[in-house]
Amino acid sequence: ASQINGGGGIELARAKHATDPYFLQPMEGVDGTGYRASWWTQFYCILWRSWLSVLKDPMLVKVRLLQTAMVASLIGSIYFGQVLDQDGVMNINGSLFLFLTNMTFQNVFAVINVFSAELPVFLREKRSRLYRVDTYFLGKTIAELPLFIAVPFVFTSITYPMIGLKAGVTHYL
């Protein structure tokens, strides 16, 4: 016990593991954080891989946009042509609630679907210390940002005039 407390036992354990073929030795080229690449290099690689993944599956993008257009048409037809009386304002309030819930859950479910599909690869690469969690999250989010912007834009462009909300580009934006 006195050797462990004094530090001698730790050095003895390191010397023992240095000759053990099953003990992982420190890698050359690894900085103090334990990663071979810098934060920016990791971010760039994840962003590039995620962007290629988005571009590789254009059918998924088309399906999401078509699904959004169909749901927007359905909601627009339900709340079509509201007038500004007491009942119309309550209906507009309900349609705005559906706007927010649809846009929120559509993006959340898309993220859950992608992340659950990539979870085994993510865990393996994270354990191998190829990249940090923050670089993975930011890279994936930025790669899918155009879709996260296009889907609400399509949804709002269809439902906004159908419901009869205040006309004009400034009000729409």
Side-chain angles (χ1 to χ4, degrees), residues 54-75:
V54 169
L55 292 178
K56 191 169 51 173
D57 200 1
M59 183 57 75
L60 180 66
V61 174
K62 291 175 186 173
V63 166
R64 283 189 62 192
L65 291 174
L66 180 64
Q67 176 187 7
T68 300
M70 291 175 64
V71 170
S73 299
L74 178 66
I75 292 173

Side-chain angles (χ1 to χ4, degrees), residues 69 72-82 156-165:
S73 299
L74 178 66
I75 292 173
S77 64
I78 291 171
Y79 292 102
F80 187 77
Q82 295 297 316
T156 307
S157 296
I158 294 170
T159 54
Y160 194 91
M162 286 181 76
I163 293 171
L165 298 175

